[in-house]
PDB file of all heavy atoms in Angstrom:
ATOM      1  N   PHE A  40    -115.348 -21.953 179.672  1.00 96.00           N
ATOM      2  CA  PHE A  40    -115.215 -21.502 178.281  1.00 96.00           C
ATOM      3  C   PHE A  40    -116.143 -22.313 177.378  1.00 96.00           C
ATOM      4  O   PHE A  40    -116.788 -21.768 176.483  1.00 96.00           O
ATOM      5  CB  PHE A  40    -113.756 -21.648 177.833  1.00 96.00           C
ATOM      6  CG  PHE A  40    -113.495 -21.079 176.476  1.00 96.00           C
ATOM      7  CD1 PHE A  40    -113.428 -19.706 176.283  1.00 96.00           C
ATOM      8  CD2 PHE A  40    -113.323 -21.908 175.378  1.00 96.00           C
ATOM      9  CE1 PHE A  40    -113.198 -19.167 175.020  1.00 96.00           C
ATOM     10  CE2 PHE A  40    -113.095 -21.378 174.112  1.00 96.00           C
ATOM     11  CZ  PHE A  40    -113.027 -20.004 173.934  1.00 96.00           C
ATOM     12  N   LEU A  51    -115.946 -25.254 168.852  1.00 97.00           N
ATOM     13  CA  LEU A  51    -114.567 -24.943 168.445  1.00 97.00           C
ATOM     14  C   LEU A  51    -113.929 -26.203 167.875  1.00 97.00           C
ATOM     15  O   LEU A  51    -113.561 -27.124 168.608  1.00 97.00           O
ATOM     16  CB  LEU A  51    -113.772 -24.410 169.653  1.00 97.00           C
ATOM     17  CG  LEU A  51    -112.343 -23.951 169.375  1.00 97.00           C
ATOM     18  CD1 LEU A  51    -112.262 -23.004 168.193  1.00 97.00           C
ATOM     19  CD2 LEU A  51    -111.739 -23.287 170.612  1.00 97.00           C
ATOM     20  N   MET A 249    -101.827 -13.888 178.219  1.00 94.00           N
ATOM     21  CA  MET A 249    -102.613 -15.041 178.667  1.00 94.00           C
ATOM     22  C   MET A 249    -102.415 -15.261 180.168  1.00 94.00           C
ATOM     23  O   MET A 249    -101.275 -15.199 180.654  1.00 94.00           O
ATOM     24  CB  MET A 249    -102.173 -16.294 177.909  1.00 94.00           C
ATOM     25  CG  MET A 249    -102.488 -16.239 176.439  1.00 94.00           C
ATOM     26  SD  MET A 249    -104.261 -16.101 176.104  1.00 94.00           S
ATOM     27  CE  MET A 249    -104.744 -17.812 176.168  1.00 94.00           C
ATOM     28  N   LEU A 283    -109.774 -18.087 165.586  1.00 98.00           N
ATOM     29  CA  LEU A 283    -108.804 -18.533 166.604  1.00 98.00           C
ATOM     30  C   LEU A 283    -107.693 -19.363 165.959  1.00 98.00           C
ATOM     31  O   LEU A 283    -107.949 -20.204 165.100  1.00 98.00           O
ATOM     32  CB  LEU A 283    -109.506 -19.341 167.689  1.00 98.00           C
ATOM     33  CG  LEU A 283    -110.435 -18.540 168.598  1.00 98.00           C
ATOM     34  CD1 LEU A 283    -111.175 -19.445 169.571  1.00 98.00           C
ATOM     35  CD2 LEU A 283    -109.661 -17.460 169.364  1.00 98.00           C
ATOM     36  N   MET A 284    -106.477 -19.159 166.430  1.00 97.00           N
ATOM     37  CA  MET A 284    -105.338 -19.805 165.753  1.00 97.00           C
ATOM     38  C   MET A 284    -105.334 -21.325 165.905  1.00 97.00           C
ATOM     39  O   MET A 284    -104.793 -22.028 165.065  1.00 97.00           O
ATOM     40  CB  MET A 284    -104.019 -19.219 166.251  1.00 97.00           C
ATOM     41  CG  MET A 284    -103.737 -19.457 167.706  1.00 97.00           C
ATOM     42  SD  MET A 284    -102.176 -18.687 168.145  1.00 97.00           S
ATOM     43  CE  MET A 284    -102.208 -18.896 169.925  1.00 97.00           C
ATOM     44  N   CYS A 285    -105.974 -21.832 166.978  1.00 98.00           N
ATOM     45  CA  CYS A 285    -105.987 -23.290 167.151  1.00 98.00           C
ATOM     46  C   CYS A 285    -106.763 -23.976 166.030  1.00 98.00           C
ATOM     47  O   CYS A 285    -106.652 -25.189 165.846  1.00 98.00           O
ATOM     48  CB  CYS A 285    -106.574 -23.657 168.512  1.00 98.00           C
ATOM     49  SG  CYS A 285    -108.083 -22.750 168.891  1.00 98.00           S
ATOM     50  N   ASP A 299    -102.970 -28.200 170.671  1.00 98.00           N
ATOM     51  CA  ASP A 299    -103.772 -27.325 169.819  1.00 98.00           C
ATOM     52  C   ASP A 299    -103.183 -25.927 169.699  1.00 98.00           C
ATOM     53  O   ASP A 299    -103.503 -25.205 168.752  1.00 98.00           O
ATOM     54  CB  ASP A 299    -105.212 -27.240 170.351  1.00 98.00           C
ATOM     55  CG  ASP A 299    -105.944 -28.565 170.199  1.00 98.00           C
ATOM     56  OD1 ASP A 299    -105.869 -29.152 169.110  1.00 98.00           O
ATOM     57  OD2 ASP A 299    -106.558 -29.028 171.178  1.00 98.00           O
ATOM     58  N   CYS A 300    -102.363 -25.532 170.656  1.00 98.00           N
ATOM     59  CA  CYS A 300    -101.695 -24.215 170.556  1.00 98.00           C
ATOM     60  C   CYS A 300    -100.537 -24.190 171.544  1.00 98.00           C
ATOM     61  O   CYS A 300    -100.391 -25.079 172.387  1.00 98.00           O
ATOM     62  CB  CYS A 300    -102.668 -23.065 170.854  1.00 98.00           C
ATOM     63  SG  CYS A 300    -103.145 -22.970 172.583  1.00 98.00           S
ATOM     64  N   PHE A 302    -100.116 -22.230 174.021  1.00 96.00           N
ATOM     65  CA  PHE A 302    -100.564 -22.051 175.412  1.00 96.00           C
ATOM     66  C   PHE A 302    -100.931 -23.405 176.015  1.00 96.00           C
ATOM     67  O   PHE A 302    -100.560 -23.729 177.143  1.00 96.00           O
ATOM     68  CB  PHE A 302    -101.754 -21.088 175.483  1.00 96.00           C
ATOM     69  CG  PHE A 302    -101.471 -19.758 174.853  1.00 96.00           C
ATOM     70  CD1 PHE A 302    -102.212 -19.303 173.776  1.00 96.00           C
ATOM     71  CD2 PHE A 302    -100.434 -18.961 175.320  1.00 96.00           C
ATOM     72  CE1 PHE A 302    -101.937 -18.086 173.186  1.00 96.00           C
ATOM     73  CE2 PHE A 302    -100.138 -17.741 174.734  1.00 96.00           C
ATOM     74  CZ  PHE A 302    -100.897 -17.296 173.656  1.00 96.00           C
ATOM     75  N   ASN A 303    -101.664 -24.213 175.254  1.00 97.00           N
ATOM     76  CA  ASN A 303    -101.995 -25.561 175.741  1.00 97.00           C
ATOM     77  C   ASN A 303    -100.716 -26.363 175.963  1.00 97.00           C
ATOM     78  O   ASN A 303    -100.623 -27.164 176.896  1.00 97.00           O
ATOM     79  CB  ASN A 303    -102.892 -26.282 174.730  1.00 97.00           C
ATOM     80  CG  ASN A 303    -104.327 -25.795 174.792  1.00 97.00           C
ATOM     81  OD1 ASN A 303    -104.616 -24.808 175.455  1.00 97.00           O
ATOM     82  ND2 ASN A 303    -105.234 -26.489 174.101  1.00 97.00           N
ATOM     83  N   ILE A 331    -111.109 -29.087 169.681  1.00 98.00           N
ATOM     84  CA  ILE A 331    -110.007 -28.358 170.340  1.00 98.00           C
ATOM     85  C   ILE A 331    -110.167 -28.481 171.861  1.00 98.00           C
ATOM     86  O   ILE A 331    -111.273 -28.345 172.383  1.00 98.00           O
ATOM     87  CB  ILE A 331    -110.043 -26.860 169.944  1.00 98.00           C
ATOM     88  CG1 ILE A 331    -110.054 -26.680 168.421  1.00 98.00           C
ATOM     89  CG2 ILE A 331    -108.899 -26.090 170.603  1.00 98.00           C
ATOM     90  CD1 ILE A 331    -108.792 -26.983 167.702  1.00 98.00           C
ATOM     91  N   MET A 332    -109.068 -28.714 172.539  1.00 97.00           N
ATOM     92  CA  MET A 332    -109.080 -28.839 173.998  1.00 97.00           C
ATOM     93  C   MET A 332    -109.030 -27.443 174.631  1.00 97.00           C
ATOM     94  O   MET A 332    -108.071 -26.694 174.374  1.00 97.00           O
ATOM     95  CB  MET A 332    -107.875 -29.656 174.479  1.00 97.00           C
ATOM     96  CG  MET A 332    -107.767 -31.047 173.882  1.00 97.00           C
ATOM     97  SD  MET A 332    -109.057 -32.152 174.515  1.00 97.00           S
ATOM     98  CE  MET A 332    -110.148 -32.254 173.121  1.00 97.00           C
ATOM     99  N   THR A 333    -110.020 -27.085 175.417  1.00 96.00           N
ATOM    100  CA  THR A 333    -110.086 -25.724 175.967  1.00 96.00           C
ATOM    101  C   THR A 333    -110.097 -25.720 177.495  1.00 96.00           C
ATOM    102  O   THR A 333    -110.344 -26.741 178.129  1.00 96.00           O
ATOM    103  CB  THR A 333    -111.357 -24.998 175.479  1.00 96.00           C
ATOM    104  OG1 THR A 333    -112.496 -25.729 175.936  1.00 96.00           O
ATOM    105  CG2 THR A 333    -111.376 -24.880 173.969  1.00 96.00           C
ATOM    106  N   ASN A 334    -109.856 -24.561 178.062  1.00 95.00           N
ATOM    107  CA  ASN A 334    -109.988 -24.348 179.499  1.00 95.00           C
ATOM    108  C   ASN A 334    -110.109 -22.841 179.723  1.00 95.00           C
ATOM    109  O   ASN A 334    -110.200 -22.085 178.746  1.00 95.00           O
ATOM    110  CB  ASN A 334    -108.804 -24.958 180.259  1.00 95.00           C
ATOM    111  CG  ASN A 334    -109.211 -25.409 181.669  1.00 95.00           C
ATOM    112  OD1 ASN A 334    -109.828 -24.657 182.410  1.00 95.00           O
ATOM    113  ND2 ASN A 334    -108.888 -26.630 182.029  1.00 95.00           N
ATOM    114  N   HIS A 336    -108.173 -20.426 180.308  1.00 96.00           N
ATOM    115  CA  HIS A 336    -107.224 -19.500 179.668  1.00 96.00           C
ATOM    116  C   HIS A 336    -107.691 -19.075 178.274  1.00 96.00           C
ATOM    117  O   HIS A 336    -107.279 -18.036 177.767  1.00 96.00           O
ATOM    118  CB  HIS A 336    -105.836 -20.137 179.568  1.00 96.00           C
ATOM    119  CG  HIS A 336    -105.783 -21.373 178.721  1.00 96.00           C
ATOM    120  ND1 HIS A 336    -106.517 -22.496 179.003  1.00 96.00           N
ATOM    121  CD2 HIS A 336    -105.114 -21.663 177.580  1.00 96.00           C
ATOM    122  CE1 HIS A 336    -106.293 -23.408 178.074  1.00 96.00           C
ATOM    123  NE2 HIS A 336    -105.448 -22.932 177.204  1.00 96.00           N
ATOM    124  N   CYS A 337    -108.564 -19.898 177.650  1.00 97.00           N
ATOM    125  CA  CYS A 337    -109.042 -19.594 176.284  1.00 97.00           C
ATOM    126  C   CYS A 337    -109.793 -18.264 176.228  1.00 97.00           C
ATOM    127  O   CYS A 337    -109.889 -17.657 175.149  1.00 97.00           O
ATOM    128  CB  CYS A 337    -109.918 -20.725 175.764  1.00 97.00           C
ATOM    129  SG  CYS A 337    -109.003 -22.275 175.575  1.00 97.00           S
ATOM    130  N   CYS A 340    -108.075 -15.524 174.429  1.00 98.00           N
ATOM    131  CA  CYS A 340    -108.065 -15.438 172.956  1.00 98.00           C
ATOM    132  C   CYS A 340    -109.346 -14.838 172.390  1.00 98.00           C
ATOM    133  O   CYS A 340    -109.372 -14.439 171.223  1.00 98.00           O
ATOM    134  CB  CYS A 340    -107.881 -16.827 172.343  1.00 98.00           C
ATOM    135  SG  CYS A 340    -106.285 -17.556 172.682  1.00 98.00           S
ATOM    136  N   THR A 341    -110.408 -14.811 173.185  1.00 98.00           N
ATOM    137  CA  THR A 341    -111.704 -14.360 172.648  1.00 98.00           C
ATOM    138  C   THR A 341    -112.137 -13.013 173.223  1.00 98.00           C
ATOM    139  O   THR A 341    -113.237 -12.544 172.933  1.00 98.00           O
ATOM    140  CB  THR A 341    -112.808 -15.404 172.964  1.00 98.00           C
ATOM    141  OG1 THR A 341    -112.754 -15.730 174.361  1.00 98.00           O
ATOM    142  CG2 THR A 341    -112.628 -16.659 172.145  1.00 98.00           C
ATOM    143  N   SER A 346    -107.355 -12.554 170.015  1.00 95.00           N
ATOM    144  CA  SER A 346    -105.897 -12.547 170.035  1.00 95.00           C
ATOM    145  C   SER A 346    -105.367 -13.873 169.517  1.00 95.00           C
ATOM    146  O   SER A 346    -105.940 -14.935 169.766  1.00 95.00           O
ATOM    147  CB  SER A 346    -105.461 -12.336 171.493  1.00 95.00           C
ATOM    148  OG  SER A 346    -104.062 -12.376 171.605  1.00 95.00           O
TER     149      SER A 346
HETATM  150  S1  SF4 B 425    -105.777 -20.872 174.273  1.00 78.78           S
HETATM  151 FE1  SF4 B 425    -105.310 -22.160 172.533  1.00 78.78          FE
HETATM  152  S2  SF4 B 425    -106.994 -23.650 172.477  1.00 78.78           S
HETATM  153 FE2  SF4 B 425    -107.654 -21.949 173.723  1.00 78.78          FE
HETATM  154  S3  SF4 B 425    -108.746 -20.583 172.290  1.00 78.78           S
HETATM  155 FE3  SF4 B 425    -106.601 -19.885 172.449  1.00 78.78          FE
HETATM  156  S4  SF4 B 425    -105.578 -20.853 170.738  1.00 78.78           S
HETATM  157 FE4  SF4 B 425    -107.494 -21.976 171.076  1.00 78.78          FE
END
Side-chain angles (χ1 to χ4, degrees):
F40 186 75
L51 184 50
M249 294 299 275
L283 290 175
M284 64 181 172
C285 46
D299 292 313
C300 71
F302 304 119
N303 283 10
I331 306 288
M332 303 289 106
T333 61
N334 210 311
H336 62 300
C337 296
C340 294
T341 50
S346 177

